[in-house]
Amino acid sequence: MIESTFSIVKPDAVAAKQTGAIIQMILDAGLSVKAMKMIRLTRAQAEGFYAVHSARPFFNDLVTYMISGPVVVSCLEGENAIAKYRDLMGATDPAKAAPGTIRKNFGKSIEANACHGSDAAETAKVEIAYFFSSLEIVG
Ligand code: IDP
Ligand code: MG
């Protein structure tokens, strides 16, 4: 099934000049980029994006980290794109991520873990719409 998913190259990876390498891993995994832009999130935008985690103890730190520098957001498409990109990212904690994954290669900590990917079809839809209008997505 062809799916869409949402990706963020997080501030640690953008600052470390790892954006290009991460996008290349995404393309090499057979996913295609349907939309992409670099933005700097406001606190309110980051809080809205991570609202599901607002009760977690790490929420404030996470939001502060996500607004610490620019991020590269993208809409990806491909066969089983959601699970495929989650597999390519690896475990949330880079120390536990499998070899060859983005987080193993580039993650710095459980917080500064290089990338975000949607976890389900419903969240992918909401997350894509949070950052992109339909006019910005290549048909
Ligand atoms: P995911 O990004 O692998 O889906 P989530 O549990 O949805 O992981 O957490 C969202 C983000 O919050 C993570 O990617 C990471 O940046 C941060 N995070 C998750 N757990 C922790 C933690 O225990 N301490 C600090 N930050 C965390
Ligand atoms: Mg998540």
Side-chain angles (χ1 to χ4, degrees), residues 56-117:
R56 307 279 283 275
F58 58 81
F59 179 69
N60 278 323
D61 281 350
L62 173 61
V63 168
T64 299
Y65 153 65
M66 288 299 291
I67 66 172
S68 65
V71 297
V72 175
V73 294
S74 55
C75 174
L76 308 177
E77 188 183 87
E79 189 69 28
N80 297 318
I82 296 167
K84 186 177 277 188
Y85 186 48
R86 294 287 300 188
D87 287 348
L88 180 64
M89 290 199 304
T92 305
D93 183 353
K96 296 181 183 148
T101 60
I102 294 170
R103 284 167 165 169
K104 181 69 172 184
N105 289 0
F106 302 117
K108 288 108 196 135
S109 68
I110 192 168
E111 178 180 80
N113 58 4
C115 54
H116 166 86

